[in-house]
């Protein structure tokens, strides 16, 4: 877990490794800057990268606490937690994306909240990881359980919600604070201003900053904005298994901005599952498979004040084909059909079947779609191929479930179906993909700490998210255009960059890692708690791994990566937490 944390609550015992937060709140923190203001029984504290000045914190912050206007406490620029108190009421919130996570549980001595689920689990006596939920997330996606952590009896406060505590009880309150919807043309200027301010805020305190430069639009834009203010040390992963087009674009961005670029040409030590065991993260994360890659290519940026990333740009600047479903739900059927037809033709797909799936998804709604998915899983029947976004598309891992596993995953999907059954597709997909990206960024912080890298995520700052999401999903998606919002928001970007239409992948690096580490991965799977507890069929998973390592293009590599990284995580739980049982050690 990251050494940066905040925790508190009536049931939280004073930790040996934390410092008390001032302001008459029962809370402690470590590894992050804290600023506080207090007047009588009213106090407000911000922890992390918050750019509010002392005067505004006193005037605006304390007034918002008195009035219970909690959303106002999340409007300062940066990425931070806020902890406020008014008499017997305590309010705690992280950021909208969940990079600054927040979890809550009930311990023997009362309520405990904290920024790390593992710390809350340890403080409340949680029995440990919820294997059924982990299996369901592998099969159907983690987005279906936004209020559950991977630890039994520990809740997650989803991004966009704050925690309100009074008389030992807690509720969550909406702090999304989006403005009235605007068109892309009207909202682009605000997006550009918010993104410039976010990057400038991170780099200004430092003479030299690090930055990822993959060659994609998002990291390249962050580098170009940072280079206007500070010296930038950019790092790029290249080599024969990386995308040659990405590498060329990265070099062009570096030359255009006049920055130092370090290109690492990857080797076997950087392939998936070839690095040392990962640092303990708060939950499973795909990045745990590439610790060797990160250690190698990030080395030139070690020790710098911050390290800029383009993480999250995909989900705030654009939207998925959920936008088509959303338009139908709004009654804008003609517009939805026109957009879906154009998109289908660009994908060289017949518009008719795709349009029927869009209409079906709109008619089903979220609740019924999850009920239907649960029934198919229970009966061991595969779902039809999804040509467009769907509410729930169980992946290849569904075929690996045992009868007991199918029953448990189906039960959890039906439980989830009762949560926000009538939400609109665009809104649901926007927020769930944002939260998934926020969680990934949060785990990345833990993995980067041993490398002396301090990653920051300007695209996930609250005001960037609010500016982007004020533009509805169907506006941010334009068939035939790639991230049109970015070019409109920052018209000064070179057209050769903003006009780019593609992005490479790490698929070849994953394949090389599966091949090179096949035997160790087989041992990892055979010893997995999922197999031991009868949730997954070991032979079915082993067969899929063999197919993938042999280069079968139809093999479920993504599902295997998710399962394998979850197994790695279960093998490297923090020592103070219960573990399902010792697993055989592997080379991974």
């Amino acid at each position: 877990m990251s050494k940066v944390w905040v925790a508190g609550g009536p049931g939280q015992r004073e930790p040996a490794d934390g410092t008390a937060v001032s302001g008459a709140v029962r809370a402690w923190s470590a590894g992050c800057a804290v600023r506080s203001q207090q007047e009588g029984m009213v106090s407000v504290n911000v922890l992390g990268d918050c750019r509010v000045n002392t005067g505004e914190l006193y005037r605006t912050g304390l007034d918002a606490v008195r009035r219970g206007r909690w959303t106002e406490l999340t409007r300062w620029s940066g990425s931070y937690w806020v902890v406020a108190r008014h008499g017997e009421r305590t309010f705690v919130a992280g950021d909208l994306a969940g990079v600054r996570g927040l979890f809550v549980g009930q311990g023997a001595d009362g309520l405990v909240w904290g920024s790390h689920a593992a710390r809350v689990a340890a403080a409340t006596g949680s029995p440990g990881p919820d294997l059924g939920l982990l299996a369901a997330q592998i099969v159907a996606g983690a987005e279906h359980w936004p209020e559950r952590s991977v630890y039994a009896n520990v809740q997650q406060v989803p991004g966009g919600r704050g925690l309100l505590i009074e008389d030992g009880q807690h509720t969550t309150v909406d702090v999304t604070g989006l403005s009235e919807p605007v068109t892309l043309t009207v909202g682009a200027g605000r997006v550009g201003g918010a993104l410039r301010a976010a990057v400038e805020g991170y780099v200004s305190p430092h003479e030299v900053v690090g930055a990822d430069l993959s060659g994609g639009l998002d990291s390249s834009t962050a580098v170009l904005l940072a280079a206007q203010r500070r010296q930038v040390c950019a790092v790029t992963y290249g080599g024969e298994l990386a995308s040659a087009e990405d590498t060329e674009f990265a070099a062009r961005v570096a030359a255009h901005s006049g920055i130092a670029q370090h290109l690492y040409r990857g080797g076997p030590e950087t392939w998936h599952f070839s690095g040392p065991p990962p640092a303990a993260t708060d939950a499973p994360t795909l990045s745990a498979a590439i610790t060797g890659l990160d250690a190698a290519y990030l080395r030139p940026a070690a020790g710098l004040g911050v390290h800029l990333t383009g993480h999250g740009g995909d989900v705030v600047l654009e939207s998925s084909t959920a936008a088509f479903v959303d338009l139908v739900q709004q009654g804008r059927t003609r517009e939805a059909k026109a957009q879906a037809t154009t998109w289908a033709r660009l994908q060289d797909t017949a518009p008719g079947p795709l349009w029927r799936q869009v209409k079906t998804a709109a008619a089903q709604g979220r609740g019924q779609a999850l009920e239907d998915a649960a029934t198919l899983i229970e009966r061991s029947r595969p779902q039809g191929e999804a040509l467009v976004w769907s509410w729930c598309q169980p992946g290849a891992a569904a075929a690996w479930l045992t009868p007991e596993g199918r029953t448990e995953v189906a039960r959890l999907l039906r439980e989830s179906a009762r949560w926000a059954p009538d939400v609109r597709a665009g809104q649901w997909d926007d927020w769930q993909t944002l939260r998934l990206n926020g969680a990934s960024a949060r785990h990345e912080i833990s993995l980067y700490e041993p490398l002396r890298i301090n990653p920051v995520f300007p695209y996930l700052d609250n005001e960037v998210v609010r500016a982007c999401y004020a533009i509805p999903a169907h506006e941010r998606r334009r068939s035939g255009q790639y991230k049109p919002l970015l070019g409109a928001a920052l018209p000064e970007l070179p057209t050769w960059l903003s006009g780019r239409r593609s992005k490479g992948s790490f698929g070849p690096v994953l394949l090389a890692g599966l091949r090179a580490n096949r035997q160790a991965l087989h041992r990892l799977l055979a010893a997995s708690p999922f197999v031991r507890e009868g949730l997954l069929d070991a032979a079915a998973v082993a067969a899929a791994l063999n197919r993938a390592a042999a280069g079968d293009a139809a093999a479920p590599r993504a599902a295997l990566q998710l399962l394998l990284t979850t197994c790695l995580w279960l093998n490297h739980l923090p020592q103070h937490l219960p573990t399902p049982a010792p697993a055989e050690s592997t080379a991974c």
Side-chain angles (χ1 to χ4, degrees):
M1 292 182 299
S2 170
K3 296 176 183 177
V4 177
W5 58 268
V6 56
Q12 174 69 57
R13 297 178 182 177
E14 182 173 351
D17 55 342
T19 302
V21 174
S22 60
V25 292
R26 184 172 174 76
W28 295 265
S29 69
C32 52
V34 181
R35 275 182 285 175
S36 306
Q37 290 289 352
Q38 180 176 358
E39 189 172 79
M41 295 293 288
V42 181
S43 67
V44 60
N45 309 268
V46 289
L47 305 93
D49 298 313
C50 185
R51 300 174 201 120
V52 63
N53 62 51
T54 304
E56 186 179 357
L57 185 63
Y58 181 83
R59 293 187 303 272
T60 308
L62 291 179
D63 183 64
V65 177
R66 290 187 191 97
R67 296 171 181 266
R69 299 173 68 167
W70 310 118
T71 301
E72 291 185 14
L73 302 175
T74 69
R75 291 196 178 279
W76 298 306
S77 62
S79 177
Y80 59 93
W81 294 277
V82 59
V83 182
R85 186 171 176 85
H86 185 195
E88 296 303 313
R89 286 200 299 178
T90 299
F91 171 78
V92 190
D95 60 339
L96 299 182
V99 179
R100 305 299 190 181
L102 188 58
F103 303 88
V104 62
Q106 188 71 38
D109 299 323
L111 197 72
V112 175
W113 56 263
S115 58
H116 288 309
R119 280 186 171 269
V120 176
T124 57
S126 166
D130 186 332
L131 290 178
L133 180 64
L134 286 168
Q137 291 179 342
I138 292 167
V139 168
E143 66 271 19
H144 300 300
W145 297 274
E147 292 192 324
R148 294 186 63 164
S149 84
V150 297
Y151 296 96
N153 305 328
V154 176
Q155 292 178 257
Q156 180 170 234
V157 179
R161 308 287 297 181
L163 185 68
L164 192 60
I165 304 167
E166 191 169 14
D167 297 327
Q169 303 297 313
H170 73 278
T171 57
T172 65
V173 294
D174 184 5
V175 293
T176 51
L178 297 185
S179 60
E180 289 297 312
V182 295
T183 65
L184 184 147
T185 302
V186 171
R190 183 185 168 198
V191 171
L195 187 54
R196 289 188 195 95
V199 172
E200 183 174 350
Y202 284 119
V203 305
S204 291
H206 312 283
E207 291 186 8
V208 184
V209 298
D212 278 349
L213 181 54
S214 68
L217 280 179
D218 304 331
S219 67
S220 296
T221 298
V223 164
L224 290 172
L225 292 175
Q228 296 173 8
R229 299 290 181 182
R230 291 293 183 266
Q231 295 182 53
V232 178
C233 172
V235 290
T236 304
Y237 180 80
E240 61 180 15
L241 296 183
S243 163
E245 184 184 13
D246 281 358
T247 302
E248 290 170 7
F249 264 92
R252 192 171 181 181
V253 170
H256 180 83
S257 56
I259 63 168
Q261 184 202 17
H262 300 267
L263 176 65
Y264 188 88
R265 298 192 177 277
E269 75 282 358
T270 69
W271 298 344
H272 284 62
F273 304 105
S274 298
T281 53
D282 209 33
T285 178
L286 292 176
S287 295
I290 55 170
T291 54
L293 186 154
D294 287 340
Y297 96 97
L298 289 169
R299 193 170 293 119
L304 299 178
V306 295
H307 186 82
L308 289 165
T309 77
H311 195 105
D314 287 338
V315 302
V316 297
L317 294 171
E318 202 167 29
S319 66
S320 74
T321 53
F324 306 154
V325 179
D326 193 284
L327 283 169
V328 176
Q329 289 179 308
Q330 295 180 58
R332 299 165 66 173
T333 305
R334 182 175 297 179
E335 185 179 349
K337 187 172 185 179
Q339 288 197 21
T341 300
T342 300
W343 185 81
R345 287 173 176 157
L346 289 169
Q347 305 299 312
D348 198 23
T349 299
L354 183 145
W355 175 240
R356 285 192 289 275
Q357 287 191 6
V358 170
K359 291 192 296 182
T360 298
Q364 273 183 318
R366 181 177 180 274
Q368 188 58 52
L370 265 67
E371 289 281 358
D372 292 348
T375 298
L376 289 173
I377 286 175
E378 211 165 36
R379 297 175 181 175
S380 194
R381 294 180 182 174
Q383 279 197 331
E385 181 185 2
L387 303 173
V388 70
W389 179 89
S390 63
W391 295 101
C392 181
Q393 183 68 28
W400 305 336
L401 292 169
T402 62
E404 293 82 1
R406 290 197 297 272
T407 298
E408 178 64 5
V409 171
R411 181 188 71 78
L412 288 165
L413 281 171
R414 289 197 174 96
E415 178 185 290
S416 176
R418 297 190 290 271
W419 199 87
D422 302 319
V423 67
R424 277 190 11 211
Q427 179 188 22
W428 172 261
D429 190 58
D430 275 351
W431 283 97
Q432 296 319 311
T433 53
L434 175 70
R435 290 163 181 160
L436 290 174
N437 272 261
S440 174
R442 185 171 71 244
H443 304 322
E444 202 166 88
I445 293 171
S446 296
L447 293 172
Y448 281 10
E449 274 185 347
L451 307 178
R452 298 192 301 125
I453 297 290
N454 177 25
V456 293
F457 314 95
Y459 290 98
L460 297 179
D461 272 18
N462 281 0
E463 290 313 295
V464 176
V465 171
R466 287 187 172 115
C468 290
Y469 280 6
I471 304 168
H474 66 271
E475 273 284 315
R476 299 197 317 279
R477 182 173 190 84
R478 304 286 177 90
S479 294
Q481 300 181 51
Y482 182 56
K483 297 184 182 175
L485 176 55
L486 188 58
L490 298 170
E492 69 272 24
L493 290 176
T495 54
W496 51 263
L497 177 64
S498 59
R500 190 177 178 193
R501 296 289 181 268
S502 60
K503 180 73 174 73
S505 80
F506 279 86
V509 188
L510 171 59
L511 176 57
L514 292 176
R515 283 174 171 164
N517 299 290
R518 184 194 310 200
Q519 295 309 314
L521 295 174
H522 273 301
R523 292 193 297 271
L524 179 69
L525 290 169
S528 163
F530 295 117
V531 172
R532 190 169 58 247
E533 297 299 321
L535 295 171
L536 292 183
D537 181 337
V541 182
L545 175 57
N546 285 333
R547 286 173 51 214
D552 184 344
R557 294 180 195 169
L560 281 167
Q561 183 182 357
L562 184 55
L563 172 59
L564 290 165
T565 51
T566 302
C567 292
L568 273 179
W569 179 76
L570 288 167
N571 268 12
H572 297 91
L573 285 173
Q575 293 182 357
H576 57 271
L577 286 172
T579 181
E584 180 183 347
S585 66
T586 74
C588 299

